[in-house]
Amino acid sequence: MSEKLAGTTAIITGAAGGIGAATAKRFAREGAALVVADKDGPGAERIAREIAAGGGRAIAVPADVCDPAQLDAMLAEAKGAFGRIRVLVNNAGQGVQVHFLETMMEIWRTMIDNNLTGTFLCSQVVAHHMAQEGGGRIVNIASHSGLLGSSGRAAYAAAKGGIIAMTRVMAVDLAEHNITVNCIAPGPIDVPRIRNTQTEERQKAWHAAVPLGRYGEPDEIAGVALFLASDDAGYVNGQTLAVDGGFTAAGLRVKRI
Ligand SMILES: NC(=O)c1ccc[n+]([C@@H]2O[C@H](COP(=O)([O-])OP(=O)(O)OC[C@H]3O[C@@H](n4cnc5c(N)ncnc54)[C@H](O)[C@@H]3O)[C@@H](O)[C@H]2O)c1
């Protein structure tokens, strides 16, 4: 079977764990050389070692997506190791659950910086390179929180909604450089961070709200990122795909009598 990303190099941010690590491993299995970028340097090293142990090619680069100098250094290291970078997955991000009235400026700035500004900065640095090299693919990771209302998510939802809006503009502006830009809005995904912090009651509430009745697996986001990064998605541009078991489609769900 042919590998979907053979001969390709991908940078994945926030790839030390969760969805980013699953995506890095999936891309490596499909033949890509990986730049595992994360502000958690030792975590990124661990994932790069796991990929190499499985026969893949990967380097770890410690990089905070909020810091332009670190992003310049990341791109330089990536080019030095693998040459042309064809795919960027802007996965780095973090959430918070806090009532609107208690959303202090520091929380607001942290959410906007780590999710929205980081995606902007990283995309701009890598897109300059992609434009010089004849094109590429950018996949942004937003959230169902950027599509629907919810409680306690004003700053996070604003950041993720901003990523969805920015995706459309990036797609239009970068099309002339043969760069496509798309976005995934994951629903609740079973990553260790969530498994370790959510109460059983909260997990049951999520199961009840999702038509498929379960959390998604990180690999189910990785599979969609793979599609958007592959030749199969050559004419898909500026789109946001909710990968959420039907959560955003559902609205009020009344049990069948
Ligand atoms: N898990 C879910 O249910 C879910 C749902 C919707 C959206 N998302 C989004 O998916 C993405 C991955 O989430 P996850 O659940 O795998 O989380 P995670 O916490 O397991 O992984 C996030 C990674 O991003 C890194 N990171 C955070 N800020 C960074 C920064 N400024 N620079 C570099 N690295 C940074 C962290 O170190 C971590 O390794 C995030 O953007 C998140 O908002 C997750």
Side-chain angles (χ1 to χ4, degrees):
M1 213 167 64
S2 68
E3 295 168 323
K4 287 189 184 301
L5 298 180
T8 295
T9 295
I11 296 176
I12 304 185
T13 66
I19 292 168
T23 305
K25 290 176 185 175
R26 182 73 177 264
F27 280 23
R29 289 201 296 279
E30 292 290 343
L34 262 300
V35 179
V36 179
D38 204 294
K39 68 179 178 184
D40 171 5
E45 286 286 353
R46 186 171 48 78
I47 299 303
R49 274 199 305 274
E50 284 178 26
I51 290 172
R57 292 202 302 156
I59 58 165
V61 180
D64 186 329
V65 294
C66 302
D67 182 338
Q70 291 188 35
L71 294 175
D72 286 340
M74 174 191 76
L75 180 63
E77 207 171 322
K79 279 168 32 183
F82 299 125
R84 178 182 174 186
I85 313 302
R86 223 180 117 66
V87 178
L88 167 67
V89 181
N90 284 305
N91 167 77
Q94 64 182 86
V96 69
Q97 188 73 34
V98 55
H99 192 279
F100 176 75
L101 292 176
E102 285 145 26
T103 302
M104 298 299 139
M105 199 58 189
E106 196 185 333
I107 295 174
W108 174 267
R109 285 209 173 106
T110 301
M111 287 301 111
I112 299 295
D113 285 354
N114 283 282
N115 293 290
L116 180 56
T117 308
T119 298
F120 163 70
L121 290 172
C122 199
S123 296
Q124 205 176 54
V125 164
V126 178
H128 274 298
H129 162 78
M130 287 174 170
Q132 283 162 5
E133 294 289 338
R137 295 283 161 80
I138 298 178
V139 180
N140 295 328
I141 305 295
S143 168
H144 60 85
S145 298
L147 293 168
L148 290 182
S150 59
S151 64
R153 297 239 140 180
Y156 180 73
K160 292 301 195 180
I163 290 174
I164 291 167
M166 187 172 66
T167 296
R168 290 189 286 262
V169 178
M170 287 170 65
V172 175
D173 279 354
L174 296 176
E176 66 184 278
H177 297 292
N178 191 30
I179 300 169
T180 65
V181 187
N182 291 290
C183 182
I184 297 172
I189 305 301
D190 185 16
V191 298
R193 176 180 52 77
I194 287 199
R195 214 177 307 135
N196 298 336
T197 53
Q198 281 193 354
T199 61
E200 201 174 319
E201 190 187 8
R202 196 170 166 81
Q203 292 184 20
K204 275 191 187 149
W206 269 116
H207 289 180
V210 173
L212 284 180
R214 64 175 177 84
Y215 281 56
E217 294 299 325
D219 208 43
E220 291 177 305
I221 303 300
V224 178
L226 171 64
F227 163 67
L228 292 172
S230 74
D231 289 345
D232 291 339
Y235 203 53
V236 183
N237 198 18
Q239 301 304 306
T240 292
L241 185 52
V243 183
D244 63 0
F247 175 64
T248 50
L252 176 65
R253 297 179 67 219
V254 180
K255 279 229 178 301
R256 204 161 30 156
I257 302 165

